[in-house]
Amino acid sequence: MNTQQRDFLKIISAALINQPPDFLGYQLPENWKRLHKISSEQKLSPMIYDQLYRLPAFQRAPDSLQQKWMGEAVAAAGRQVIQTESFARVCDELTRRGIRYVVLKGISCRVWYAHPELRPSGDEDILIDPENLKVCHEVLRELHFTNEESINVPDIEEEQEITYLAQDGSLYLEVHLNAIGKENAMQKQLNEQFTNLLDKTEQITFEGHDFFVLEPTEQMIQLMSHFYKHLYGSGVGIRQMIDLLLGIQKLSEWIDWDKFEQFLKEHHMQKLFAAILNAGTDYLHLELENIPGTFIRKKVRPEALLDDMFAGGIYGFGENNDRKLSGFTAVEIDSGENKWKRILFPSRIRLGDRYPKLREKPYLYPYFVVKRWFELFLEYGSGKEKRELLKKRMSIAEKRKQVLNYYR
């Protein structure tokens, strides 16, 4: 980690524990810009700015950067208020119509933060019973949402989610039909443990509204699965790690630790979880003393994981999308699937994300596979520079494999 990345963690730590940050600021404008870039990449600019604007040292940052940072923070906090109100209307109407749902991530995590508005979220996610999709779709259309994908496609229950956008732009909503996705063997295996989730919920109140969330043990298993899924894709961000750590901290006395430990063991996540805990105590200075000792492994260092999270940003793709091929390579570790098979013969679900027509006409799979081959050739095989790009991206993917292997 470089200086700005370490300072970023110091400032986040202060925000989480309600203490002034151990941060002296910078003399050079370039360093302030690097810190701002990190906070933007990790979608935590509001939380960082809320700590910085009080510091005399922040006055040494360029005026234009101070104004930009403030604008981002205020806009993000305002969007969260509007988004929460829009989401509450959706959830209230689903409940009124007798459609069971459960919130995944988003609000179910923000409730753990001292200042929830500083934990931005670009969308909200709910899980419903696939049998209720058509009724849910009707409700959302009545509430003036437009859907980005058709629900009238074969094998709709194999899809992970259908996305909707409020016509007034107040909410981007993902309606999940399963908890993790079914794109590859790893996701299918993770999904197998999530049975009857809608029977395992509890109600919380947030900003004056009631929402259904998963009960603590299932919620932590789902969040850890989501973290793991994205880590083995292109990567995962700091915010997802903070969500996990705060959940563990706030819910520790209600978590079935034996069940959670068995889950980690079955999916080879014990070392990864230990690294996350060590990042929480060593870098974010969170009090996690209620975690059973069997989960603590101080020798499992989190630095390689943190470096990977900073390199990838919140969505894991990194600058210039250079981690684009990492997911194909990384999944070999977990599922044993050959990376070239996944690259050349992606699942229908994955290919359908690229070619929406395939969702409606699955029998066109061979045609779109060949079409994708042609596009891959144009992207990587039609010139020296493009072949160098492929070599670079494959090299990044192989280096990520070393990191992932360390945490298994």
Side-chain angles (χ1 to χ4, degrees):
M1 286 182 288
N2 61 37
T3 299
Q4 285 72 44
Q5 289 167 346
R6 290 180 180 274
D7 288 338
F8 173 86
L9 293 176
K10 286 181 183 178
I11 298 166
I12 290 296
S13 169
L16 296 178
I17 63 178
N18 290 313
Q19 295 290 332
D22 178 20
F23 176 64
L24 300 177
Y26 307 116
Q27 296 294 332
L28 298 176
E30 290 76 13
N31 291 333
W32 286 108
K33 290 176 182 177
R34 290 190 188 105
L35 181 63
H36 174 261
K37 184 173 183 286
I38 294 167
S39 64
S40 295
E41 289 173 343
Q42 298 294 333
K43 303 299 181 189
L44 286 169
S45 283
M47 193 177 295
I48 295 290
Y49 180 79
D50 188 63
Q51 291 294 306
L52 291 182
Y53 84 91
R54 302 183 181 92
L55 300 180
F58 190 51
Q59 304 309 310
R60 296 197 293 267
D63 290 340
S64 59
L65 183 63
Q66 293 183 44
Q67 292 299 317
K68 181 179 180 181
W69 219 325
M70 180 178 69
E72 290 174 352
V74 172
R79 280 195 303 270
Q80 288 307 131
V81 173
I82 295 170
Q83 184 170 297
T84 297
E85 292 298 316
S86 182
F87 187 48
R89 286 194 293 273
V90 170
C91 293
D92 288 347
E93 184 62 19
L94 291 177
T95 299
R96 191 184 72 81
R97 297 279 287 268
I99 301 173
R100 295 195 304 169
Y101 74 89
V102 64
V103 177
L104 301 177
K105 305 171 293 173
I107 281 175
S108 68
C109 297
R110 284 207 300 280
V111 71
W112 301 325
Y113 287 73
H115 301 285
E117 71 280 4
L118 301 180
R119 190 272 191 199
S121 178
D123 59 17
E124 294 293 347
D125 302 71
I126 58 172
L127 174 73
I128 65 168
D129 188 325
E131 294 180 357
N132 289 328
L133 176 59
K134 288 190 176 181
V135 179
C136 180
H137 174 78
E138 291 172 4
V139 169
L140 290 170
R141 299 291 286 185
E142 290 170 7
L143 293 174
H144 307 294
F145 281 76
T146 58
N147 55 306
E148 297 189 352
E149 302 96 355
S150 171
I151 67 168
N152 299 309
V153 298
D155 305 321
I156 183 65
E157 292 186 13
E158 294 300 309
E159 305 277 350
Q160 183 181 4
E161 78 276 327
I162 308 297
T163 55
Y164 291 82
L165 177 65
Q167 288 182 355
D168 61 3
S170 61
L171 176 63
Y172 187 82
L173 177 68
E174 292 188 354
V175 177
H176 288 249
L177 306 180
N178 58 72
I180 297 297
K182 299 181 180 180
E183 179 194 320
N184 55 51
M186 176 187 74
Q187 292 180 17
K188 290 176 181 176
Q189 186 180 29
L190 287 170
N191 252 319
E192 288 176 358
Q193 71 207 340
F194 296 114
T195 58
N196 303 318
L197 277 187
L198 296 176
D199 294 329
K200 303 171 183 177
T201 67
E202 61 183 30
Q203 197 171 56
I204 63 168
T205 300
F206 178 76
E207 303 293 341
H209 301 287
D210 294 331
F211 300 94
F212 288 98
V213 302
L214 292 171
E215 62 87 18
T217 305
E218 294 294 338
Q219 186 171 12
M220 297 317 302
I221 289 176
Q222 196 276 329
L223 285 176
M224 189 68 193
S225 297
H226 183 260
F227 184 97
Y228 183 82
K229 164 191 166 180
H230 283 286
L231 178 65
Y232 276 78
S234 296
V236 68
I238 300 293
R239 194 183 70 191
Q240 288 94 326
M241 181 181 73
I242 296 172
D243 287 347
L244 263 171
L245 288 165
L246 291 184
I248 290 162
Q249 183 187 61
K250 305 295 184 183
L251 303 177
S252 59
E253 63 180 295
W254 297 286
I255 295 172
D256 182 339
W257 288 107
D258 289 337
K259 182 176 181 178
F260 189 70
E261 184 175 27
Q262 183 62 31
F263 154 74
L264 295 178
K265 184 176 180 180
E266 287 178 3
H267 298 281
H268 309 285
M269 299 184 196
Q270 291 166 296
K271 286 183 69 176
L272 176 61
F273 185 66
I276 292 170
L277 293 179
N278 289 335
T281 55
D282 299 354
Y283 287 94
L284 298 178
H285 308 293
L286 295 173
E287 294 182 2
L288 301 172
E289 67 278 358
N290 292 330
I291 308 300
T294 54
F295 293 93
I296 309 300
R297 299 186 186 185
K298 280 297 180 184
K299 291 184 179 180
V300 181
R301 299 310 305 152
E303 287 77 16
L305 176 63
L306 290 169
D307 284 341
D308 187 75
M309 295 166 84
F310 279 120
I314 191 169
Y315 301 118
F317 297 120
E319 286 191 299
N320 304 317
N321 219 14
D322 279 343
R323 292 154 63 100
K324 188 175 181 178
L325 300 178
S326 295
F328 294 109
T329 303
V331 79
E332 286 184 304
I333 301 171
D334 186 89
S335 66
E337 292 184 71
N338 181 276
K339 65 174 177 290
W340 291 110
K341 179 182 177 182
R342 279 179 49 76
I343 291 172
L344 296 175
F345 298 96
S347 69
R348 183 190 61 77
I349 294 174
R350 184 179 185 87
L351 206 58
D353 290 338
R354 187 179 186 90
Y355 308 110
K357 193 172 183 178
L358 178 58
R359 297 179 67 250
E360 301 172 12
K361 300 179 179 180
Y363 58 84
L364 291 179
Y365 176 77
Y367 166 78
F368 285 111
V369 165
V370 174
K371 182 178 175 66
R372 178 63 180 136
W373 291 349
F374 180 71
E375 291 176 355
L376 284 170
F377 176 76
L378 292 179
E379 188 173 4
Y380 297 118
S382 58
K384 183 178 178 180
E385 289 186 5
K386 293 183 178 181
R387 287 193 291 273
E388 287 298 318
L389 176 62
L390 174 61
K391 183 178 178 180
K392 176 184 177 182
R393 289 181 173 177
M394 291 303 295
S395 175
I396 291 172
E398 289 300 321
K399 289 178 181 177
R400 287 202 74 237
K401 275 184 69 175
Q402 297 176 20
V403 174
L404 298 175
N405 272 320
Y406 173 73
Y407 291 110
R408 285 184 70 79

